[in-house]
C-alpha cells in the first residue's frame, strides 16, 4: 500500500531481500502519524509502521520499526528512541513499511511474541508499547490517582495499562464513542479533585491547561500529545505554583535488557478486551483506501483501524 499522487493505492513492490527475513504480515494498524505523513504528499515507500506477522517457521513476530544507529551515546545507554537516526530509516517513513503481504525485515528488528497472542491483534504491540514506555517514564509509585487527558488510542492505552497496574484511573473523553470504549476498559469518566499524575494524550491548549489545573501539588505531568509544531500555550505559572514535574515520553525502548514490545504483547495477551476495544474496524489489503478514509472520519467512530494483508 502506497500513498501515491492519486491517493492510497495497492501496487506491486520490488525489493532486494539480501540479509532480510520474510514476515508474512497478519495485521497492520493505522497510526495518527500515518495520516499526518499522507497529508505531506506521496512517498516511494510502503506505508505502515505498526505491524506483525509470521516467519516462515511459523513464529509470530512484531517488528521494531524505528531507526537506531546502535553506536551513539543514547543507543549505548539503552535509549534507542533518543537516537538521532530514529526517523531516518524508520519503516514506512524512510524505508518500506509493513502494509503488504510480505515484508522483508532486518532480523535485528524482529521481536518474537508470546504464545496465545492473537495474530489479528498483534499489530497493536507497537502502539501499546508507546503506552508501556509512558508509564515507565512516569515512574509511578503504588496506588496513584491518575488522570488521562484524551481518549484516542494512546490515551485509552495508557489509562488501561495504569488500571491493570492497580492505579485509580480517570480519563477525559470528548466523544460518546470514546466514553463507551473507556467504560468498557473499566476507566472512570468523571474527574474529581486533584491527581498525582496527569498524562496529556490530547495535545491541545485546553487539555494542557486542564491537565495543569488537575495536578496535585508536587504532581507529575507527562506530555504525550501530538502537539502542533508551532507550539502550544504552556501553563508554566500553574505548574510552578504547584512545584510540578513535567516530563515527556516518546516511542519505546527495545534493547537487549529492556523490551517494551514484550511487555506490550503480554498485556494484549492477558487482557483481550484491550485489543477488542481499541480495534474498531478491520479491512483486507485491497480495501486499504477505505481503511485510511475510515481512520480519518470522526463520524465513523474509529479508534484503531487494522488492515489484514494475509
Ligand atoms: Zn504509530
Ligand atoms: Zn544511535
Amino acid at each position: 500500500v502506497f500513498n501515491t499522487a492519486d491517493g492510497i493505492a495497492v501496487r506491486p513492490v520490488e525489493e532486494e531481500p539480501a540479509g532480510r527475513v520474510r514476515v508474512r504480515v497478519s495485521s497492520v494498524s493505522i497510526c495518527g502519524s500515518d495520516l499526518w505523513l499522507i497529508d505531506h504528499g506521496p512517498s516511494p515507500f510502503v506505508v505502515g509502521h505498526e505491524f506483525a506477522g509470521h516467519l516462515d517457521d511459523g513464529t509470530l513476530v512484531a517488528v521494531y520499526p524505528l531507526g537506531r544507529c546502535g553506536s551513539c551515546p543514547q543507543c549505548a545507554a539503552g535509549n534507542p528512541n533518543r537516537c538521532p537516526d530514529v526517523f531516518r530509516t524508520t519503516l514506512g517513513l524512510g524505508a518500506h513499511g509493513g502494509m503488504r503481504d510480505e515484508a522483508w525485515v532486518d532480523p535485528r528488528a524482529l521481536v518474537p511474541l508470546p504464545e496465545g497472542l492473537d495474530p489479528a491483534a498483534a499489530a497493536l504491540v507497537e502502539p501499546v508499547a508507546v503506552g508501556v514506555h509512558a508509564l515507565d517514564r512516569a515512574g509511578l509509585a503504588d496506588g496513584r490517582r491518575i488522570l488521562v487527558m484524551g481518549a484516542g488510542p494512546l490515551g485509552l492505552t495508557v489509562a488501561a495499562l495504569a488500571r491493570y497496574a492497580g492505579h485509580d484511573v480517570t480519563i477525559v473523553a470528548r466523544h460518546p464513542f470514546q466514553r463507551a470504549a473507556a467504560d468498557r476498559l473499566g476507566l472512570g469518566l468523571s474527574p474529581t479533585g486533584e491527581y498525582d499524575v496527569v498524562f496529556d494524550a490530547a495535545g491541545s491548549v485546553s487539555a494542557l491547561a486542564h491537565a495543569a489545573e488537575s495536578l496535585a501539588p508536587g504532581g507529575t505531568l507527562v506530555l504525550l500529545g501530538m502537539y502542533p509544531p508551532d507550539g502550544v500555550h504552556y501553563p508554566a505559572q500553574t505548574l510552578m505554583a504547584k512545584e510540578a514535574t513535567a516530563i515527556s515520553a516518546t516511542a519505546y525502548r527495545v534493547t537487549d535488557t529492556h523490551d517494551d514490545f514484550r511487555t506490550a504483547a503480554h498485556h494484549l495477551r492477558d487482557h483481550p478486551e484491550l485489543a477488542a476495544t481499541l480495534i474498531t474496524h478491520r479491512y483486507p489489503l485491497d480495501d486499504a483506501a477505505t481503511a485510511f478514509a475510515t481512520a480519518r472520519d470522526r463520524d465513523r467512530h474509529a479508534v484503531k483501524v487494522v488492515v489484514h494483508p494475509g
Side-chain angles (χ1 to χ4, degrees):
V1 175
F2 289 91
N3 180 36
T4 73
D6 302 322
I8 298 294
V10 183
R11 302 260 166 90
V13 53
E14 299 286 337
E15 200 176 16
E16 174 54 58
R20 307 278 175 108
V21 294
R22 175 166 54 189
V23 177
R24 295 177 195 273
V25 180
S26 56
S27 53
V28 191
S29 46
I30 295 176
C31 176
S33 71
D34 294 324
L35 302 178
W36 180 88
L37 204 63
I38 284 167
D39 288 340
H40 284 70
S43 162
F45 300 116
V46 174
V47 301
H49 60 272
E50 304 178 354
F51 65 106
H54 292 95
L55 302 181
D56 287 349
D57 69 2
T59 306
L60 181 64
V61 295
V63 177
Y64 180 91
L66 304 181
R68 47 185 169 182
C69 76
S71 56
C72 73
Q74 290 297 341
C75 281
N79 300 307
N81 57 327
R82 301 177 188 169
C83 175
D85 266 6
V86 77
F87 293 122
R88 193 174 58 83
T89 54
T90 290
L91 306 186
L93 180 66
H96 285 315
M99 199 173 283
R100 46 181 168 158
D101 300 287
E102 296 182 352
W104 291 89
V105 175
D106 183 332
R108 290 169 298 183
L110 301 177
V111 181
L113 298 178
E115 291 282 322
L117 180 63
D118 178 6
L124 295 190
V125 167
E126 196 266 9
V128 169
V130 178
V132 170
H133 179 60
L135 289 185
D136 268 3
R137 288 279 293 156
L140 302 172
D142 286 345
R144 301 283 87 184
R145 289 196 87 224
I146 293 177
L147 182 67
V148 178
M149 301 298 306
L154 181 55
L156 287 168
T157 299
V158 167
L161 299 186
R163 192 179 82 78
Y164 299 152
H167 302 289
D168 171 4
V169 188
T170 300
I171 189 166
V172 174
R174 186 192 291 175
H175 303 286
F177 76 94
Q178 294 175 329
R179 298 175 70 84
D183 191 52
R184 193 171 167 190
L185 293 169
L187 306 169
L189 282 160
S190 305
T192 52
E194 294 178 325
Y195 291 85
D196 302 307
V197 180
V198 182
F199 293 89
D200 177 23
S204 67
V205 170
S206 61
L208 198 52
H210 186 161
E213 283 156 19
S214 304
L215 265 186
T220 300
L221 170 66
V222 187
L223 303 174
L224 293 178
M226 294 251 289
Y227 297 96
D230 296 342
V232 287
H233 178 81
Y234 187 71
Q237 191 181 44
T238 305
L239 294 169
M240 283 194 74
K242 296 178 177 184
E243 203 176 40
T245 300
I247 63 172
S248 62
T250 296
Y252 32 70
R253 295 172 59 228
V254 176
T255 71
D256 291 343
T257 55
H258 180 103
D259 190 341
D260 290 334
F261 272 38
R262 194 169 298 269
T263 305
H266 281 101
H267 281 304
L268 285 162
R269 185 197 60 188
D270 297 345
H271 305 280
E273 78 280 5
L274 181 57
T277 304
L278 292 176
I279 299 175
T280 51
H281 299 77
R282 299 179 183 274
Y283 295 93
L285 190 72
D286 286 343
D287 290 343
T290 309
F292 280 95
T294 299
R296 222 178 253 290
D297 183 355
R298 278 274 175 228
D299 293 338
R300 298 295 306 277
H301 298 175
V303 180
K304 270 296 194 190
V305 177
V306 172
V307 171
H308 297 292

